[in-house]
Structure formats: structure tokens, C-alpha cells
Amino acid sequence: MSKAGSSAIQRMLTANRPSLNEYGIDYPEIGIKGFEAHFGIYHELLDNQTSPTFLKALAVHQEAPIKVFSCETFWLLSADQLAGFAQHLEPSETEAILYLRSPWSYLPSSYRQMIKHDGLACGIGEYCESIVQRLDYPALIKRWSRVVPIKVRLYETSKHNLTADFCRTANIPSEAIRTIPGLINKTPSEGAHRMMRWVNRGLPPQVGRRVRKLLVRCEQGLKFMPRMDDRAACSTIQTAIAQWDTGVLARYLSAEQIDILRSPSASRS
């Protein structure tokens, strides 16, 4: 699973599926929806705490000794939903990989992604109130570590070579993959996001979706507009970090990596 940069990892896995199969690694097609991720499995777990799709994916290509599942939203599973997911896993043979992103970059970025992709229209303060629990990284780690062994990686120190870092962490041979250029989603200008939020507030969803796509293509012409006000996000992040159980983080990350997560300046390096 990946909390950041997941689209690049998932598209790399999809593009290299035939080569991965030669090395006994299966990235199942079953359950994939959008960005080549296993969103189908996630939404079943979200609704039912069980996933027939996941069972089907486990059953195909049984000769492959390794199966890889990747979906950014897996990290949002509650303890009960995760238990439904884990009942089909063999803990001694399963490992989860989680990429943590500095809250200082994650929260403003996720707000803008919601404006761009989901038609979000509210201000960032209201958005922060609705997702503040996502910033409790120690709770997230504890939730997953109760079910399967987990490796925690830091997005900020891996982002320039993310897919290679993932393959090393997952023990995927470098010979099994080829680099796929242009996989990272480009972030439109602040002006484009401002305009998209206004569109989301005033237009019907279907019309707004089309206009947002147009604004992404024209985003260069909107760069003159000022940045959106992220002060509410900064306040939310400071409060969340102050409540972290750093003892949990220290089991998986070095002191330097924890400092990167906590520091607004380090996350922009």
C-alpha cells in the first residue's frame, strides 16, 4: 500500500506485468479501477468488510509465489475493515509497505487533489476538520502492524526515485522492471485550483468536471493568481504532530526521518 506517489508505483506495476510474471510476481488485474490501483477491493471492504474480488484475485495465477496489491486508499481502512481484509492473508507470508508523506506537504496537496478530482468546494478549514484523523500516523502504523509485518518508508527521501525504492523494499528484481516516464501527476497552478474551487461551488458536477479538465490544460495562464490560504492546514498539522506517539514511529523510522515528517522546511527540500 502507499499513502503517496501510489499512481506512479501502480502504473509501473501494470506496465511491467508480463516481465514481473516471468519472475513469479503477479500484479492481479482483478479489482483494478482507476490509476491501475485495486480500488475495487478497497470499496468492497469499505461497504462490507469482506471482498469477494480480493479472493478472486488471490485465486488467479496461483503458480505465482508472490502477489502484489497496491492502492493508496488501503491505508484508510478501519480496524474492522482491515480485519476483513486480513482474514484472507497468511500473516507469516504477507508484508505491507507504507510510504508516509510529511503532513506539511500531504494535507495541502490532498486538499488540492480533492478539488481537482472530486469536485470539492469547501474551504481548507472545513476539509481539515473532516480528515484530521488521517494525520495520526502512529495510529495508522499500529493498526496495520497488528495484522501483518509492515515496512515504513518516507516519501520525501524516496520521491525522486520512488518506483526503484519500492522495488528494492518489496524485493522485486531490478531486471524485472523498466522505467516508465511521466507517471507522476502534475500539480496545476494555484490559480487553476482557485478557479476549480469556484467552478465546484457554482456548476453541476458533470459540467464542473469538464470545466476542471479545461482549467488543467490552461493552468499556465492562471499562474498570476496568489496561493490559496493554507493557514488552517498549518494549525491542524501542528496540533496533530504534537499528539503523535513518537515511540511507535521510532520502531520504524530513524530520528532523522521523524524530524523530516515533523519539519515544514524539510518536507519542501
Side-chain angles (χ1 to χ4, degrees), residues 208-220:
R209 192 176 302 115
R210 294 174 185 170
V211 175
R212 289 198 303 275
K213 289 181 179 179
L214 177 62
L215 288 170
V216 170
R217 290 197 293 269
C218 303
E219 59 96 18
Q220 290 289 330

Side-chain angles (χ1 to χ4, degrees), residues 31-92:
I32 285 181
K33 284 185 178 179
F35 298 113
E36 289 81 38
H38 291 102
F39 284 110
I41 295 170
Y42 166 75
H43 285 293
E44 285 185 353
L45 290 167
L46 198 63
D47 295 335
N48 307 308
Q49 297 179 16
T50 59
S51 175
T53 300
F54 183 52
L55 288 175
K56 290 178 184 176
L58 288 173
V60 298
H61 302 302
Q62 290 186 333
E63 71 282 1
I66 299 173
K67 286 188 181 287
V68 178
F69 293 88
S70 183
C71 181
E72 184 171 1
T73 46
F74 281 168
W75 74 281
L76 295 175
L77 293 172
S78 69
D80 289 341
Q81 292 156 355
L82 186 53
F85 183 50
Q87 66 181 315
H88 306 303
L89 301 173
E90 193 65 48
S92 62

Side-chain angles (χ1 to χ4, degrees), residues 4-13 16 99 155 158-174 177-181 183-184:
S6 60
S7 60
I9 292 171
Q10 288 146 185
R11 288 169 178 171
M12 177 275 293
L13 291 167
N16 288 283
Y99 280 85
Y155 174 75
S158 309
K159 61 183 177 181
H160 298 300
N161 209 0
L162 187 62
T163 56
D165 184 86
F166 171 78
C167 288
R168 284 194 299 270
T169 306
N171 295 318
I172 295 175
S174 58
I177 63 166
R178 60 187 175 89
T179 302
I180 314 295
L183 292 183
I184 301 293

Side-chain angles (χ1 to χ4, degrees), residues 53-183:
T53 300
F54 183 52
L55 288 175
K56 290 178 184 176
L58 288 173
V60 298
H61 302 302
Q62 290 186 333
E63 71 282 1
I66 299 173
K67 286 188 181 287
V68 178
F69 293 88
S70 183
C71 181
E72 184 171 1
T73 46
F74 281 168
W75 74 281
L76 295 175
L77 293 172
S78 69
D80 289 341
Q81 292 156 355
L82 186 53
F85 183 50
Q87 66 181 315
H88 306 303
L89 301 173
E90 193 65 48
S92 62
E93 300 177 1
T94 306
E95 184 175 69
I97 299 172
L98 171 68
Y99 280 85
L100 290 181
R101 184 174 183 180
S102 165
W104 298 97
S105 58
Y106 163 69
L107 187 51
S109 174
S110 67
Y111 175 61
R112 287 155 176 77
Q113 287 293 317
M114 290 294 290
I115 291 172
K116 175 183 171 184
H117 292 296
D118 291 61
L120 188 73
C122 69
I124 195 167
E126 184 179 342
Y127 177 71
C128 289
E129 290 177 8
S130 69
I131 61 96
V132 63
Q133 73 282 355
R134 297 184 187 179
L135 301 184
D136 190 349
Y137 291 173
L140 164 66
I141 291 172
K142 285 194 289 187
R143 194 158 64 241
W144 273 90
S145 63
R146 290 190 188 107
V147 177
V148 293
I150 183 171
K151 287 182 179 177
V152 180
R153 303 291 295 162
L154 204 61
Y155 174 75
E156 270 70 28
T157 58
S158 309
K159 61 183 177 181
H160 298 300
N161 209 0
L162 187 62
T163 56
D165 184 86
F166 171 78
C167 288
R168 284 194 299 270
T169 306
N171 295 318
I172 295 175
S174 58
E175 316 89 75
I177 63 166
R178 60 187 175 89
T179 302
I180 314 295
L183 292 183

